[in-house]
Amino acid sequence: PRRSGSGESPKAIDVLQTVVTFLDAQDYEKRPWEDDSSCLVEAMEYCDEKLEDLIQAALAEGDEFTRRTAAKWLARYASDEIAAPVYRGLLHDSQPRVRWWAAVHLSRIAPETEGLTAVLVEAMKGKWMPSARVLWCFDLSGMGEAAEALGHLGSAAREAIPDLMGVITRSGRDGFAYNEQLAARAIWRIAGGEETVRLLAPQRNLDQRIGALLDEIETIQRGGEPPEGDWPRHACFIARFVWRQGEDDYWKHARPDGRGAV
């Protein structure tokens, strides 16, 4: 409404932008009580529209922020059958973060989709922030998001191994942080234990956690269980919020599922 005596016209409300902003609160705010996304879900009970339809409308009609945020959240609120064809249509979108989110989600719901590796390598090289909250807590960026998604493709993503190795060898400057750890895990899922040991063994002294990963791989290859040690298993990664709680805990050894060489 217009302020009394201000002479200002009322500002139009962008409904679709408001919807995705509410959704993104759950992954952006530092404190749980600042998360307003539940208010939107409650409000939808009094609306004839479905939330998944509003998110798709935001993808089709929204501005840059609205579209990339809608791409981020559609997979949580729409079924795989609805989300997969929408994301396939976005793989070559003109907006980078729209196509990057499409590839990240397709790596889980439709990993056989052609062209995912190239888009995810592009996303791994891009400068973007999937979630402010996990960036604050764990320093995880779009690099780690895309690396983890490449691991979901298994042996089909072999062409990405040099780029994943590039992420790991850069860690000498900043320490072997979560982005680098995810890149190492992706190589393991793509190439299998033997080749991962061959590739990473020369980097063992770069960081103690590379050694921990190599020890874990060798233990598993001998038929043992992964050692506990210092390897982090608690990362609050964005995919676990956007996707299904507890789904695909990449800090634990992934058993063979027909896609990868592990």
Side-chain angles (χ1 to χ4, degrees), residues 7 119 173 181 198 204:
V119 179
R173 293 197 306 269
Q181 293 173 41
R198 179 182 64 79
R204 179 182 281 272

Side-chain angles (χ1 to χ4, degrees), residues 21-52:
T21 301
F22 269 100
L23 291 180
D24 211 35
Q26 60 195 293
D27 249 355
Y28 191 86
E29 300 297 351
K30 288 184 178 180
R31 295 170 287 270
W33 56 86
E34 292 178 330
D35 176 9
D36 297 324
S37 61
S38 58
C39 299
L40 174 65
V41 175
E42 292 174 8
M44 292 301 298
E45 296 180 10
Y46 305 94
C47 177
D48 293 333
E49 299 284 347
K50 293 182 179 179
L51 185 52
E52 64 190 55

Side-chain angles (χ1 to χ4, degrees), residues 53-186:
D53 294 336
L54 288 176
I55 298 173
Q56 289 187 73
L59 270 169
E61 305 171 22
D63 58 18
E64 182 178 347
F65 165 80
T66 302
R67 294 189 69 240
R68 71 173 186 248
T69 310
K72 174 181 178 179
W73 288 105
L74 177 64
R76 176 162 184 173
Y77 296 96
S79 66
D80 294 355
E81 291 74 21
I82 291 174
V86 173
Y87 283 133
R88 288 192 184 102
L90 297 172
L91 269 184
H92 302 288
D93 195 88
S94 60
Q95 190 174 329
R97 275 187 278 187
V98 170
R99 60 178 181 264
W100 296 346
W101 272 120
V104 165
H105 288 306
L106 285 169
S107 76
R108 295 176 178 81
I109 64 179
E112 73 288 347
T113 302
E114 291 186 8
L116 287 185
T117 299
V119 179
L120 288 171
V121 167
E122 178 195 19
M124 192 166 60
K125 295 178 179 179
K127 293 184 178 180
W128 60 297
M129 179 182 66
S131 165
R133 182 152 59 94
V134 293
L135 182 68
W136 287 323
C137 295
F138 301 105
D139 200 28
L140 281 168
S141 70
M143 181 187 297
E145 178 87 58
E148 200 258 355
L150 282 164
H152 291 165
L153 305 185
S155 54
R158 287 196 65 87
E159 65 189 81
I161 289 178
D163 295 291
L164 290 163
M165 282 298 299
V167 172
I168 294 166
T169 55
R170 280 204 305 272
S171 66
R173 293 197 306 269
D174 305 318
F176 197 59
Y178 286 111
N179 291 323
E180 288 80 9
Q181 293 173 41
L182 285 170
R185 289 282 171 148

